[in-house]
Amino acid sequence: MLRQLMTRRWLGWLAAALVVALACTLLGRWQFGRYEDRIATERHLEANYNGEPVDIRQAHPDPAVAPTADQQWRQVRMTGDYLDPDRVLVRNRPLNKNYGFEVLVPFRTTRGEVVFVDRGWVPNGRTAAGPDSVPATPTGRVEVIGWLRSGEPNLERAGVQGQAASINIAQLRQLTGQAGAADGYVLMRSESGPGVPQARPQALPKPDPGGSAWINFSYAFQWWLAAAGVIAFVLLRARREHLDATGRAEPPKPTKQRIWDEEDD
């Protein structure tokens, strides 16, 4: 059988099988890498989502740079005042299969730093051009607790007065005139203070990490199984051909005769 595998024809089949097996192995490694990334993301989210709030400067020491992956979803606390005249509505934001706006308001801390705060979601109005109403922004000194987030890419869509297409920090700075605002924003969880009204935009739900990580693990296993299977298939075919050529193939099993056929004979 080894001499048969060394022939040009079977060497070609083996080479093709090895190429396919290598591709399956690499695809399996890619899916396993996605599995590991999702597991890490899920664990990071669970560890931080309900963690103890810390001062925003402790969680994000350098506001001039975007939060790192380790800083994402840290629960932060800050005290200051909302700059409501510079409020921006971020359009086309989904929630429970409906579309609306997220309400972004610059927040000046007692240290003089400006941080954008996402106060939550409001539905579209009679048309998608804007909401029918937006709950009032708190006035006076407010304590905000929320999650630290990095900005989003600029979708580069046509501008609308007082609106943005995404939570892009550079665009928000331009729309509000807050050129020195921190690179990143806070997704509000709660706010407290004497000027906080009862009504507020609808809170956004806990994020979905993007599906079960075990799906990627199962895909990786299937690719690796396919890699082994394609090699095994070629070897088994070569073995069958070798047995047929040397006359050592197993004879076919005799057909079992039915009892009433025997009685008829």
Side-chain angles (χ1 to χ4, degrees):
M1 179 177 170
L2 183 59
R3 283 196 298 270
Q4 180 174 320
L5 285 174
M6 292 299 104
T7 62
R8 179 177 298 179
R9 182 167 70 91
W10 280 106
L11 283 175
W13 280 113
L14 278 175
L18 288 173
V19 170
V20 174
L22 177 61
C24 291
T25 300
L26 293 176
L27 287 168
R29 289 187 61 184
W30 172 64
Q31 286 290 352
F32 190 77
R34 294 192 65 191
Y35 158 76
E36 291 183 315
D37 290 342
R38 283 189 170 185
I39 287 290
T41 299
E42 290 174 7
R43 289 175 177 171
H44 179 77
L45 179 61
E46 290 301 323
N48 289 278
Y49 194 79
N50 291 314
E52 187 69 23
V54 298
D55 187 271
I56 190 169
R57 285 294 294 272
Q58 179 181 341
H60 190 204
D62 188 357
V65 299
T68 65
D70 289 339
Q71 293 169 339
Q72 293 277 351
W73 293 110
R74 289 288 303 275
Q75 238 191 136
V76 297
R77 176 189 291 109
M78 55 186 181
T79 303
D81 304 271
Y82 280 111
L83 306 176
D84 187 58
D86 295 330
R87 180 179 65 192
V88 176
L89 299 178
V90 183
R91 61 184 181 272
N92 294 326
R93 309 295 282 198
L95 180 65
N96 299 327
K97 299 182 179 180
N98 295 312
Y99 279 84
F101 299 81
E102 289 182 35
V103 183
L104 271 288
V105 187
F107 185 88
R108 179 179 287 118
T109 70
T110 53
R111 287 189 291 261
E113 301 161 344
V114 175
V115 181
F116 292 108
V117 175
D118 185 343
R119 297 192 63 237
W121 183 90
V122 293
N124 286 337
R126 289 180 294 275
T127 71
D132 287 338
S133 63
V134 178
T137 303
T139 58
R141 188 57 48 86
V142 182
E143 181 185 67
V144 172
I145 293 177
W147 297 279
L148 185 62
R149 304 288 291 129
S150 60
E152 301 170 352
N154 188 346
L155 299 181
E156 298 181 355
R157 293 175 181 168
V160 178
Q161 182 66 32
Q163 295 182 13
S166 65
I167 307 178
N168 178 263
I169 302 303
Q171 187 179 21
L172 292 176
R173 288 168 175 166
Q174 184 178 6
L175 289 171
T176 61
Q178 301 293 339
D183 192 348
Y185 70 100
V186 172
L187 175 59
M188 187 189 74
R189 182 171 195 170
S190 66
E191 52 193 7
S192 57
V196 175
Q198 287 188 338
R200 57 159 285 185
Q202 187 173 342
L204 296 171
K206 184 178 179 179
D208 181 357
S212 173
W214 291 102
I215 293 178
N216 296 102
F217 182 84
S218 68
Y219 288 160
F221 180 77
Q222 290 171 38
W223 280 117
W224 290 332
L225 192 63
V230 71
I231 298 294
F233 175 78
V234 171
L235 293 177
L236 287 173
R237 290 297 300 171
R239 179 177 183 273
R240 170 56 60 184
E241 185 174 296
H242 172 71
L243 293 176
D244 289 343
T246 57
R248 288 158 50 189
E250 295 181 1
K253 293 182 179 179
T255 303
K256 187 174 181 181
Q257 194 171 26
R258 296 179 298 175
I259 296 176
W260 48 86
D261 291 339
E262 294 175 352
E263 293 175 350
D264 292 342
D265 292 340

